[in-house]
């Protein structure tokens, strides 16, 4: 097994670049950090290009089927590759794949309209996964699905749901052609209470930007726009919290 002790090693320099969107797209690869996330990726059937692990993890059971791809690294290299203050000691270079919508369109969808905070994006994906929603669409202006902070916030749910990056208007039109109702979310009592919509096996829910809400053009192209009645004095809910309330209602028991 090869051992790399210096962060100046060319392979390490290349791996570090794979935390940056431009380099990820050029290479078609990204760097995944953390024991749990790497295990989830491997368990989902994905094949890594390379695995870098400190002495503590080179014999990890989950890595054994990919032993020939493992390179042992020093703690200083682990610190260099890490995007966190406390490196976890396992990194995998994974394929950055462009997912497509299912054909024919069916099931339940969550659409993200310019959600910028990586923590919110990750929580939204995790919640969709927990609710059983099969597809999450990252619209324009939404934090990149392969950014280190988003990857960490998704906690492996990205390997359980289909993640598609696309402009939302063509998606809305395609959903309508497929007979799938599209619900927007709007902080406006002229919208309908989410309670008025019956759970269904086929729907799409759009949630909008943390500060500005959904794009008005998208709001005009939904079947129905929903809001959550607020009984207390808070002006609004965090987008991920609001989406969770609506997703679990729309999915039903």
């Amino acid at each position: 097994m090869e051992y790399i002790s210096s962060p100046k090693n060319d392979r390490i320099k290349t791996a570090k670049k794979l935390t940056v969107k431009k380099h990820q797209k050029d290479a078609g690869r990204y760097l995944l950090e953390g024991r749990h996330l790497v295990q989830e990726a491997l368990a989902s059937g994905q094949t890594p290009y390379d695995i870098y692990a400190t002495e503590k993890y080179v014999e990890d059971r989950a890595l054994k089927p990919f032993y020939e791809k493992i390179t042992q690294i020093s703690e200083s290299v682990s610190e260099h590759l890490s995007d966190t203050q406390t490196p976890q000691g396992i990194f995998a270079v994974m394929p950055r794949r462009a997912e497509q919508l299912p054909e024919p369109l069916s099931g339940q969808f969550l659409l993200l309209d310019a959600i910028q905070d990586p923590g919110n994006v990750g929580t939204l994906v995790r919640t969709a996964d927990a609710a059983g929603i099969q597809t999450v669409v990252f619209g324009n202006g939404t934090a990149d699905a392969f950014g280190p902070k988003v990857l960490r916030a998704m906690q492996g749910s990205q390997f359980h749901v289909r993640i598609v990056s696309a402009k939302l208007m063509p998606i809305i039109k395609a959903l309508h052609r497929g007979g799938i109702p599209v619900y927007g979310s709007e902080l406006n009592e002229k919208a309908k209470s989410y309670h008025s919509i019956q759970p269904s096996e086929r729907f799409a829910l759009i949630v909008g930007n943390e500060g500005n809400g959904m794009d008005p053009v998208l709001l005009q192209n939904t079947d129905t726009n929903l809001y959550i009645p607020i009984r207390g004095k808070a002006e609004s809910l965090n987008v991920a919290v609001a989406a969770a309330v609506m997703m679990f209602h729309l999915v039903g028991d």
Side-chain angles (χ1 to χ4, degrees):
M1 179 185 296
E2 184 180 355
Y3 176 73
I4 297 177
S5 61
S6 173
K8 295 181 180 179
N9 178 279
D10 286 342
R11 289 181 63 198
I12 299 305
K13 289 180 180 178
T14 299
K16 182 66 175 178
K17 289 180 180 179
L18 297 178
T19 61
V20 178
K21 185 176 181 179
K22 177 185 182 302
H23 295 295
Q24 290 176 351
K25 285 194 167 183
D26 290 344
R29 307 177 182 193
Y30 72 99
L31 187 67
L32 186 64
E33 176 183 357
R35 182 172 182 264
H36 171 68
L37 294 184
V38 172
Q39 287 180 335
E40 288 288 334
L42 302 182
S44 73
Q46 294 198 26
T47 301
Y49 291 103
D50 295 291
I51 297 173
Y52 297 98
T54 58
E55 182 179 9
K56 179 180 180 180
Y57 294 110
V58 288
E59 299 296 335
D60 191 287
R61 182 181 301 175
L63 305 184
K64 285 186 176 181
F66 306 95
Y67 189 82
E68 74 284 356
K69 296 179 181 289
I70 301 174
T71 297
Q72 185 175 337
I73 57 175
S74 66
E75 293 293 341
S76 63
V77 171
S78 177
E79 291 172 4
H80 177 70
L81 289 177
S82 180
D83 187 61
T84 66
Q85 291 185 342
T86 307
Q88 295 187 43
I90 296 183
F91 307 83
V93 177
M94 305 298 299
R96 177 174 168 135
R97 295 173 178 159
E99 295 270 15
Q100 303 296 322
L101 289 176
E103 289 289 347
L105 284 176
S106 62
Q108 301 159 331
F109 301 78
L110 176 66
L111 279 56
L112 310 184
D113 176 28
I115 307 295
Q116 297 175 334
D117 181 81
N120 283 337
V121 172
T123 301
L124 285 159
V125 173
R126 289 173 64 191
T127 306
D129 179 18
I133 290 175
Q134 302 90 350
T135 304
V136 181
V137 181
F138 283 48
N140 287 358
T142 296
D144 182 50
F146 296 94
K149 291 181 179 179
V150 175
L151 290 169
R152 210 159 49 243
M154 291 190 290
Q155 283 292 301
S157 283
Q158 64 267 39
F159 304 116
H160 309 154
V161 301
R162 180 186 295 104
I163 293 179
V164 178
S165 295
K167 293 181 179 180
L168 296 189
M169 186 57 73
I171 300 292
I172 292 171
K173 291 180 179 178
L175 290 165
H176 281 153
R177 288 195 298 270
I180 296 174
V182 179
Y183 304 121
S185 53
E186 186 177 16
L187 190 63
N188 181 349
E189 292 192 4
K190 292 182 180 179
K192 286 188 176 182
S193 168
Y194 76 100
H195 285 299
S196 66
I197 304 298
Q198 293 299 310
S200 172
E201 294 181 354
R202 288 163 52 88
F203 71 84
L205 172 67
I206 310 174
V207 292
N209 177 267
E210 291 91 340
N212 301 317
M214 272 181 60
D215 183 325
V217 175
L218 298 182
L219 284 169
Q220 293 170 7
N221 283 273
T222 58
D223 293 281
T224 306
N225 294 319
L226 309 177
Y227 81 103
I228 298 173
I230 294 178
R231 296 183 176 85
K233 296 181 180 179
E235 291 184 359
S236 63
L237 294 172
N238 169 275
V239 63
V241 172
V245 170
M246 289 189 282
M247 277 191 277
F248 275 93
H249 171 76
L250 292 171
V251 167
D253 296 330

XYZ file of all heavy atoms in Angstrom, residues 12-60:
395
model
N -2.227 14.477 -3.822
C -2.964 15.182 -2.771
C -3.393 16.555 -3.264
O -4.522 17.008 -2.987
C -2.108 15.290 -1.494
C -1.762 13.897 -0.971
C -2.843 16.106 -0.439
C -2.974 12.989 -0.730
N -2.527 17.222 -4.000
C -2.896 18.522 -4.571
C -4.111 18.384 -5.488
O -5.031 19.196 -5.464
C -1.720 19.108 -5.360
C -0.568 19.587 -4.502
C 0.541 20.153 -5.398
C 1.725 20.645 -4.587
N 2.809 21.157 -5.452
N -4.102 17.329 -6.296
C -5.230 17.087 -7.209
C -6.507 16.775 -6.440
O -7.589 17.287 -6.760
C -4.905 15.922 -8.160
O -3.760 16.262 -8.951
C -6.074 15.636 -9.092
N -6.390 15.943 -5.406
C -7.564 15.584 -4.604
C -8.148 16.818 -3.920
O -9.370 16.991 -3.858
C -7.193 14.532 -3.564
N -7.283 17.684 -3.419
C -7.745 18.895 -2.739
C -8.534 19.793 -3.688
O -9.531 20.406 -3.290
C -6.546 19.665 -2.177
C -6.906 20.940 -1.403
C -7.660 20.636 -0.122
C -7.892 21.899 0.697
N -8.666 21.625 1.931
N -8.134 19.854 -4.943
C -8.848 20.671 -5.925
C -10.275 20.185 -6.138
O -11.150 20.950 -6.563
C -8.107 20.678 -7.258
C -6.812 21.473 -7.255
C -6.145 21.419 -8.629
C -4.853 22.216 -8.641
N -4.180 22.148 -9.973
N -10.532 18.910 -5.826
C -11.846 18.327 -6.081
C -12.892 18.720 -5.037
O -13.991 18.170 -5.010
C -11.742 16.802 -6.167
C -10.881 16.294 -7.329
C -10.792 14.773 -7.308
C -11.426 16.775 -8.672
N -12.545 19.692 -4.188
C -13.543 20.309 -3.319
C -14.111 21.571 -3.960
O -15.029 22.182 -3.405
C -12.933 20.675 -1.950
O -11.874 21.623 -2.142
C -12.379 19.436 -1.253
N -13.566 21.960 -5.119
C -13.955 23.193 -5.811
C -14.791 22.836 -7.038
O -14.393 21.972 -7.837
C -12.715 24.014 -6.226
C -13.126 25.261 -6.985
C -11.887 24.366 -4.987
N -15.931 23.488 -7.207
C -16.890 23.140 -8.257
C -16.265 23.106 -9.647
O -16.495 22.163 -10.412
C -18.057 24.134 -8.226
C -19.184 23.812 -9.209
C -20.334 24.784 -9.029
C -21.481 24.466 -9.972
N -22.625 25.391 -9.783
N -15.482 24.116 -9.996
C -14.891 24.176 -11.339
C -14.026 22.941 -11.607
O -14.139 22.304 -12.659
C -14.049 25.437 -11.494
C -13.341 25.542 -12.853
C -12.433 26.741 -12.918
C -11.771 26.851 -14.292
N -10.982 25.639 -14.658
N -13.173 22.611 -10.661
C -12.295 21.452 -10.840
C -13.083 20.150 -10.819
O -12.751 19.194 -11.536
C -11.217 21.445 -9.758
C -10.267 22.605 -9.844
N -9.397 22.786 -10.913
C -10.060 23.652 -9.015
C -8.687 23.885 -10.716
N -9.074 24.433 -9.581
N -14.131 20.103 -10.012
C -14.991 18.916 -9.993
C -15.605 18.675 -11.367
O -15.607 17.546 -11.884
C -16.109 19.083 -8.965
C -15.669 19.052 -7.522
C -16.834 19.329 -6.585
O -17.927 19.697 -7.018
N -16.619 19.142 -5.295
N -16.136 19.739 -11.959
C -16.794 19.598 -13.261
C -15.795 19.217 -14.349
O -16.102 18.394 -15.224
C -17.515 20.897 -13.615
C -18.798 21.108 -12.829
C -19.638 22.216 -13.432
C -21.040 22.215 -12.857
N -21.903 23.231 -13.484
N -14.626 19.827 -14.300
C -13.597 19.499 -15.299
C -13.189 18.033 -15.208
O -12.994 17.370 -16.227
C -12.366 20.394 -15.111
C -12.623 21.842 -15.503
O -13.641 22.096 -16.191
O -11.824 22.713 -15.123
N -13.068 17.536 -13.970
C -12.590 16.161 -13.768
C -13.719 15.137 -13.745
O -13.481 13.937 -13.918
C -11.808 16.083 -12.458
N -14.962 15.602 -13.508
C -16.071 14.670 -13.352
C -15.975 13.888 -12.059
O -16.492 12.778 -11.945
N -15.298 14.487 -11.053
C -15.074 13.818 -9.776
C -15.192 14.832 -8.637
O -15.076 16.025 -8.859
C -13.674 13.181 -9.733
C -13.387 12.265 -10.899
C -11.974 11.721 -10.852
N -11.700 10.882 -12.024
C -10.662 10.073 -12.162
N -9.767 10.010 -11.191
N -10.511 9.338 -13.244
N -15.404 14.327 -7.439
C -15.416 15.201 -6.265
C -14.816 14.449 -5.086
O -14.691 13.216 -5.108
C -16.827 15.686 -5.942
C -17.756 14.626 -5.368
C -17.995 14.532 -3.997
C -18.426 13.725 -6.197
C -18.853 13.579 -3.474
C -19.284 12.764 -5.681
C -19.487 12.698 -4.326
O -20.334 11.744 -3.805
N -14.424 15.205 -4.059
C -13.823 14.604 -2.871
C -14.867 14.502 -1.766
O -15.479 15.493 -1.381
C -12.635 15.441 -2.391
C -11.819 14.823 -1.237
C -11.099 13.565 -1.722
C -10.821 15.832 -0.684
N -15.061 13.295 -1.272
C -16.010 13.023 -0.194
C -15.225 12.749 1.077
O -14.274 11.967 1.072
C -16.865 11.807 -0.565
C -18.020 11.431 0.366
C -19.069 12.533 0.389
C -18.643 10.117 -0.094
N -15.624 13.399 2.157
C -14.886 13.286 3.422
C -15.741 12.672 4.513
O -16.912 13.008 4.663
C -14.416 14.669 3.883
C -13.722 14.657 5.238
C -13.315 16.027 5.728
O -13.516 17.018 5.002
O -12.789 16.119 6.857
N -15.137 11.788 5.283
C -15.796 11.262 6.470
C -16.149 9.786 6.367
O -16.605 9.315 5.327
N -15.957 9.065 7.441
C -16.206 7.620 7.470
C -17.645 7.283 7.116
O -17.910 6.418 6.274
C -15.851 7.077 8.848
C -16.019 5.567 9.005
C -15.451 5.112 10.347
N -15.552 3.669 10.501
C -16.549 3.055 11.143
N -17.549 3.781 11.668
N -16.567 1.745 11.258
N -18.583 7.989 7.749
C -19.993 7.684 7.505
C -20.378 7.929 6.055
O -21.034 7.087 5.422
C -20.876 8.530 8.425
C -22.340 8.440 8.111
N -23.086 7.294 8.291
C -23.201 9.365 7.592
C -24.333 7.506 7.916
N -24.433 8.755 7.490
N -19.972 9.070 5.496
C -20.356 9.407 4.127
C -19.707 8.450 3.127
O -20.352 8.035 2.157
C -19.981 10.851 3.804
C -20.724 11.924 4.592
C -20.334 13.311 4.103
C -22.229 11.751 4.468
N -18.450 8.112 3.352
C -17.785 7.171 2.445
C -18.460 5.806 2.524
O -18.707 5.153 1.498
C -16.277 7.077 2.762
C -15.633 5.945 1.954
C -15.583 8.404 2.454
N -18.803 5.363 3.725
C -19.503 4.087 3.870
C -20.843 4.106 3.149
O -21.217 3.118 2.488
C -19.715 3.764 5.351
C -18.458 3.332 6.085
C -18.719 3.015 7.544
O -19.669 3.518 8.139
N -17.883 2.186 8.131
N -21.581 5.205 3.268
C -22.879 5.318 2.594
C -22.701 5.267 1.075
O -23.496 4.634 0.375
C -23.576 6.622 2.997
C -24.115 6.640 4.416
C -25.344 5.762 4.587
O -26.066 5.540 3.608
O -25.573 5.295 5.722
N -21.674 5.939 0.577
C -21.420 5.937 -0.865
C -21.112 4.534 -1.358
O -21.659 4.076 -2.375
C -20.264 6.882 -1.195
N -20.263 3.827 -0.638
C -19.891 2.469 -1.048
C -21.069 1.507 -0.924
O -21.279 0.647 -1.783
C -18.710 1.980 -0.206
C -17.435 2.831 -0.261
C -16.333 2.198 0.584
C -16.964 3.020 -1.692
N -21.857 1.669 0.143
C -23.023 0.796 0.342
C -24.071 1.007 -0.741
O -24.857 0.101 -1.044
C -23.634 1.044 1.721
N -24.103 2.210 -1.340
C -25.080 2.498 -2.389
C -24.666 1.935 -3.746
O -25.407 2.042 -4.717
C -25.286 4.016 -2.518
O -24.160 4.632 -3.121
N -23.470 1.346 -3.798
C -23.020 0.733 -5.037
C -22.085 1.590 -5.871
O -21.683 1.184 -6.964
N -21.718 2.758 -5.376
C -20.798 3.612 -6.121
C -19.367 3.113 -5.956
O -18.989 2.604 -4.895
C -20.911 5.064 -5.654
C -22.260 5.679 -5.968
C -22.221 7.198 -5.899
O -21.194 7.818 -6.086
N -23.365 7.802 -5.633
N -18.587 3.289 -7.005
C -17.197 2.842 -6.994
C -16.268 4.047 -6.949
O -16.322 4.903 -7.835
C -16.879 2.001 -8.254
O -17.750 0.873 -8.291
C -15.437 1.526 -8.238
N -15.405 4.121 -5.952
C -14.492 5.262 -5.857
C -13.323 5.129 -6.835
O -12.950 4.023 -7.226
C -14.000 5.181 -4.411
C -14.026 3.713 -4.108
C -15.224 3.171 -4.842
N -12.776 6.271 -7.207
C -11.539 6.251 -7.984
C -10.345 6.011 -7.061
O -9.435 5.260 -7.390
C -11.343 7.584 -8.719
C -12.335 7.819 -9.827
C -13.406 8.688 -9.656
C -12.206 7.163 -11.055
C -14.322 8.920 -10.676
C -13.120 7.379 -12.085
C -14.174 8.261 -11.881
O -15.078 8.469 -12.894
N -10.357 6.671 -5.911
C -9.282 6.544 -4.928
C -9.867 6.698 -3.536
O -10.881 7.382 -3.350
C -8.221 7.642 -5.116
C -7.479 7.528 -6.435
O -6.708 6.570 -6.596
O -7.690 8.413 -7.285
N -9.205 6.069 -2.571
C -9.542 6.253 -1.165
C -8.269 6.636 -0.424
O -7.222 5.998 -0.608
C -10.134 4.976 -0.546
C -11.457 4.605 -1.227
C -10.361 5.155 0.955
C -12.030 3.270 -0.794
N -8.353 7.672 0.388
C -7.229 8.093 1.213
C -7.640 7.928 2.670
O -8.698 8.416 3.084
C -6.868 9.551 0.941
C -6.414 9.798 -0.493
C -7.307 10.289 -1.446
C -5.115 9.522 -0.886
C -6.905 10.503 -2.758
C -4.698 9.729 -2.198
C -5.596 10.220 -3.121
O -5.196 10.421 -4.426
N -6.812 7.237 3.452
C -7.168 6.976 4.840
C -5.941 7.019 5.728
O -4.845 6.606 5.325
C -7.849 5.614 4.963
N -6.132 7.524 6.939
C -5.058 7.506 7.922
C -4.916 6.092 8.482
O -5.755 5.219 8.249
C -5.342 8.493 9.063
O -6.594 8.140 9.672
C -5.407 9.928 8.551
N -3.855 5.869 9.250
C -3.571 4.540 9.800
C -4.763 3.975 10.572
O -5.034 2.770 10.534
C -2.352 4.622 10.724
C -1.951 3.280 11.314
C -0.731 3.388 12.212
O -0.296 4.524 12.510
O -0.215 2.336 12.640
N -5.493 4.848 11.232
C -6.633 4.414 12.041
C -7.712 3.734 11.207
O -8.440 2.860 11.705
C -7.226 5.630 12.770
C -8.427 5.325 13.635
C -8.938 6.588 14.326
C -10.151 6.306 15.190
N -10.659 7.531 15.869
N -7.801 4.107 9.920
C -8.933 3.646 9.104
C -8.573 2.751 7.924
O -9.474 2.258 7.244
C -9.714 4.857 8.581
C -10.399 5.648 9.671
C -9.947 6.920 10.014
C -11.468 5.124 10.366
C -10.572 7.649 11.025
C -12.101 5.841 11.370
C -11.641 7.110 11.693
O -12.251 7.818 12.687
N -7.299 2.526 7.663
C -6.957 1.752 6.453
C -7.492 0.327 6.487
O -7.719 -0.289 5.453
C -5.423 1.732 6.199
C -4.939 3.087 5.736
C -4.665 1.254 7.431
N -7.741 -0.199 7.690
C -8.269 -1.555 7.804
C -9.786 -1.572 8.047
O -10.351 -2.604 8.397
C -7.560 -2.306 8.943
C -6.057 -2.452 8.763
C -5.692 -3.305 7.555
O -6.522 -4.148 7.142
O -4.582 -3.124 7.027
N -10.434 -0.430 7.855
C -11.883 -0.351 8.071
C -12.595 -1.399 7.220
O -12.320 -1.551 6.023
C -12.379 1.052 7.709
C -13.817 1.297 8.152
O -14.723 0.735 7.513
O -14.024 2.049 9.115
